[in-house]
Amino acid sequence: MDEMGIWLEDLLGEISRNENQEICQGLLKRCGGRCAERNALPGMGGLKEELAGVERIEEIARIISRHTGAECVPEEDGFLLTYNRGKGCDCSIVRAGYVHSPVFCNCTLGFHQKVWSTIFERPVRVELVETFLRGGNCCSQKVFIK
């Protein structure tokens, strides 16, 4: 691991040991939201347009799956989004070997919250279900839209 990776691991270690987890996790979530603004949302205009006016969660899930390639399972109050099953984390920082700490998964919460609240033009809530850095075989989030 190079100097950047060591620095990031130190940062995430300090975050995980900090007594104010709400603030620390909030910072990671905000960074994830900024990442979504820079890297994901500019290419998601077609998805947003196609979802406009769609109300049935089954149709929403089908459209999301087609546009993203992720497994999208409708649920009563939203959907379960699962991607990269068995393939590893999508995040370039993780793939480059800079981050190994599961606390970093709070970044994906902010990423997905920004993406889906922007797509649906209303607040959403996101919960992590499974992540690679937390020992899982995929990255999966529950997105609550109702």
Side-chain angles (χ1 to χ4, degrees), residues 43-130:
M44 297 183 95
L47 174 59
K48 183 176 180 177
E49 286 177 22
E50 192 168 344
L51 286 172
V54 177
E55 294 294 327
R56 288 190 50 242
I57 194 66
E58 294 81 11
E59 182 67 8
I60 289 170
R62 187 187 66 73
I63 292 168
I64 289 171
S65 185
R66 186 168 41 80
H67 273 266
T68 66
E71 297 171 35
C72 190
V73 177
E75 298 202 353
E76 183 178 330
D77 49 359
F79 53 90
L80 181 66
L81 188 66
T82 303
Y83 52 96
N84 287 5
R85 191 174 297 281
K87 296 179 182 174
C89 186
D90 246 356
C91 177
S92 61
I93 295 170
V94 174
R95 283 193 323 267
Y98 289 126
V99 173
H100 301 93
S101 172
V103 75
F104 189 67
C105 295
N106 286 291
C107 182
T108 202
L109 282 173
F111 183 95
H112 284 278
Q113 186 169 352
K114 176 59 81 172
V115 164
W116 301 112
S117 64
T118 300
I119 295 289
F120 293 114
E121 296 181 337
R122 62 181 180 237
V124 301
R125 186 170 56 88
V126 179
E127 288 181 5
L128 291 179
V129 175
E130 186 175 347

